[in-house]
Amino acid sequence: MRLGLSLGYQTAWSTPADHLALAQEADRLGYSVVWAAEAYGSDSPSMLAWMAGQTERIDVGSAVMQIPARTPAMTAMTAATIDALSGGRFRLGLGVSGPQVSEGWHGVRFAKPLARTREYVDIVKLAVARKEVAYAGEHYTLPLPDGPGKALRLGFHPPREHIPIYLAAVGPKNLELAGEIADGWLAVFYTPEFAAEQLASVSAGRAKAGKELAGFDVVPSVPVVVGDDVATCAELVRWYAALYVGGMGSRQQNFYNQLATRMGYADAAREVQDLYLAKRQRDAAAAVPMEFIDRTSLLGPKERIAERMREYAAAGVTTLSVTLFVADRDSGVQTLRTVAEAFDLSGVGE
């Protein structure tokens, strides 16, 4: 197993300089990858290109670049460019986002996300490999018929003909698709106790492609809070869990709520969502079970985190990417160092 750092996107309480400092510290400590995200604020490729130019060894990855935000050809251009800027250190994470962002922010219909993702990845792979991009799909047709367009190929030679592709996936069918067409899976609320069911879906997709699970990168983003008291640490994660389980998406279509239900928390997931959508966010946060938070996070002193890392490694995780729940840059740097020490203590490194 390797370590990664998930920075998320820019917020009211973070700055690009903060994220750069954390990325540079992770680079110094030997973390394998730093991920940046996007929703409807800061975009991930700008942040990653900036960090790539100011780091040395660490990979830079999008978690994610939103599929509805860009044409597949534009994504291929961006991925190839950052790969060139970084000397072959880019990882392309893709996701369809959710219906609210896709249709409300980007003006792209959310329907048939799996079919669109499959075609999108097909075209990205063609372009990055510098093959002539001609494609006739249900959702994408290149070049457009009966017009002046012609099939083109990428106009420069990137360092690699294949850039690793990751899919952000939650549901069983999307997990199977990730196993079939991608090199890795970006997971959320991953718990070793529920991993077998999810990895079975990934393995089914790998089998469709004539491959085994070996070599496929399983990358959960896991909240981490270091401290002596586990319950106190969990309080910092509680609001995040409530937002995703209760307020992300709509009542009818919240992938994280559905995941919590599959994990055995149906009653709690329903209560958290009811409270959150009723604008009772504090009550929603209080309703998130402590067990759910603990099972999906790294909480407590270094020794406990190390033991939990062993469980993640045994449950198929190949890159454990930590999300820092900290007050400032200095505490973030210290947490990165403690996580690296716990990782060494765990003995699960490659």
Side-chain angles (χ1 to χ4, degrees):
M1 192 169 76
R2 296 156 294 185
L3 280 179
L5 169 62
S6 295
L7 290 174
Y9 36 76
Q10 291 298 301
T11 66
W13 52 88
S14 68
T15 69
D18 292 337
H19 280 184
L20 176 61
L22 293 172
Q24 289 174 329
E25 181 65 15
D27 189 22
R28 188 186 70 79
L29 291 169
Y31 283 61
S32 66
V33 60
V34 56
W35 305 93
E38 63 184 19
Y40 45 93
S42 60
D43 73 286
S44 58
S46 296
M47 290 297 300
L48 294 170
W50 186 61
M51 288 187 287
Q54 299 176 84
T55 53
E56 296 179 4
R57 297 174 304 278
I58 195 168
D59 281 7
V60 293
S62 58
V64 295
M65 287 171 64
Q66 296 172 99
I67 285 174
R70 304 168 183 85
T71 67
M74 185 69 244
T75 289
M77 291 166 61
T78 303
T81 301
I82 299 178
D83 205 46
L85 292 172
S86 65
R89 290 188 283 137
F90 183 65
R91 306 186 193 184
L92 174 60
L94 297 170
V96 291
S97 191
Q100 284 73 26
V101 173
S102 183
E103 300 193 8
W105 187 246
H106 298 301
V108 175
R109 294 294 181 193
F110 189 74
K112 299 183 177 180
L114 297 182
R116 285 189 294 113
T117 298
R118 182 184 293 276
E119 293 187 12
Y120 198 98
V121 170
D122 283 345
I123 296 168
V124 169
K125 289 179 178 178
L126 281 173
V128 170
R130 296 200 75 247
K131 295 181 180 178
E132 190 174 84
V133 178
Y135 196 85
E138 178 185 356
H139 303 278
Y140 298 97
T141 302
L142 296 170
L144 291 174
D146 304 321
K150 66 176 184 176
L152 301 171
R153 69 179 72 238
L154 188 68
F156 77 105
H157 291 267
R160 297 178 291 176
E161 292 186 352
H162 177 80
I163 292 172
I165 293 177
Y166 294 72
L167 291 188
V170 177
K173 291 184 179 179
N174 209 0
L175 288 170
E176 185 173 325
L177 181 67
E180 181 183 355
I181 69 173
D183 303 291
W185 164 37
L186 300 172
V188 65
F189 295 124
Y190 189 100
T191 171
E193 294 83 358
F194 185 65
E197 180 175 323
Q198 294 173 301
L199 291 177
S201 297
V202 174
S203 294
R206 300 293 285 172
K208 280 187 177 181
K211 299 177 181 178
E212 297 181 350
L213 191 58
F216 185 84
D217 201 6
V218 177
V219 190
S221 179
V222 182
V224 59
V225 184
V226 178
D228 293 331
D229 184 74
V230 174
T232 301
C233 292
E235 289 304 306
L236 296 179
V237 184
R238 185 174 293 281
W239 289 87
Y240 156 81
L243 168 63
Y244 276 79
V245 175
M248 196 67 72
S250 64
R251 184 181 298 277
Q252 295 74 27
Q253 202 163 30
N254 180 326
F255 307 120
Y256 310 101
N257 188 280
Q258 294 164 10
L259 173 60
T261 296
R262 289 193 299 273
M263 291 169 62
Y265 297 97
D267 291 343
R270 188 181 308 110
E271 180 183 8
V272 171
Q273 186 178 64
D274 287 345
L275 290 168
Y276 206 100
L277 295 181
K279 301 188 184 303
R280 295 169 58 187
Q281 286 93 339
R282 185 178 298 277
D283 293 333
V288 178
M290 172 64 189
E291 182 186 73
F292 178 84
I293 299 171
D294 191 25
R295 288 172 66 183
T296 56
S297 307
L298 296 170
L299 308 173
K302 178 171 61 178
E303 293 75 16
R304 189 177 193 268
I305 290 173
E307 178 56 36
R308 194 63 173 159
M309 285 177 170
R310 296 184 191 106
E311 295 173 5
Y312 272 98
V317 172
T318 50
T319 301
L320 184 69
S321 285
V322 295
T323 302
L324 308 179
F325 282 70
V326 294
D328 51 40
R329 183 194 304 184
D330 289 343
S331 55
V333 167
Q334 184 55 53
T335 297
L336 284 175
R337 293 172 182 171
T338 302
V339 167
E341 292 169 2
F343 185 69
D344 289 341
L345 183 63
S346 73
V348 298
E350 291 184 334

